Amino acid sequence: MFKDTIFKLLIVATLVVGSHFPATAALTLFSTEVQAQNHCPSDVVVWLNLPTRIYHWKDMRWYGITKNGAYVCKKEADENGSRGTLNGQ
């Protein structure tokens, strides 16, 4: 009886929490720009600073050089809650 009650509570909790947090698309990280471009040939490749989730476009100051970052497809980054830099660097 106790196990059945716990199981039912877990199901209800999963349904309630799952409805508030929609699934996001997979964010694939790449160590090179070429790998990222091959993964998403029709999208723009950006450099994502992983701790801040802010990305930089090619020819920007921090593109490809922040300590903890990766090349990603812009569309995937946007779908995962990342955003572009606001100060143009």
Side-chain angles (χ1 to χ4, degrees), residues 66-86:
T66 62
K67 237 183 208 184
N68 297 310
Y71 295 99
V72 298
C73 303
K74 182 184 175 300
K75 182 179 176 184
E76 288 180 9
D78 290 338
E79 290 172 352
N80 279 277
S82 301
R83 67 169 177 83
T85 181
L86 298 177

Side-chain angles (χ1 to χ4, degrees), residues 5-61:
T5 303
I6 295 294
F7 182 70
K8 289 176 185 174
L9 286 173
L10 287 173
I11 290 174
V12 170
T14 302
L15 293 173
V16 170
V17 172
S19 65
H20 293 336
F21 297 99
T24 58
L27 181 61
T28 310
L29 307 177
F30 298 95
S31 58
T32 69
E33 187 177 2
V34 171
Q35 291 171 329
Q37 195 63 67
N38 288 337
H39 175 72
C40 54
S42 62
D43 196 6
V44 175
V45 172
V46 294
W47 176 260
L48 178 63
N49 186 345
L50 298 172
T52 63
R53 301 189 62 85
I54 295 174
Y55 57 78
H56 306 273
W57 288 270
K58 192 171 188 159
D59 297 326
M60 288 188 155
R61 177 180 177 187

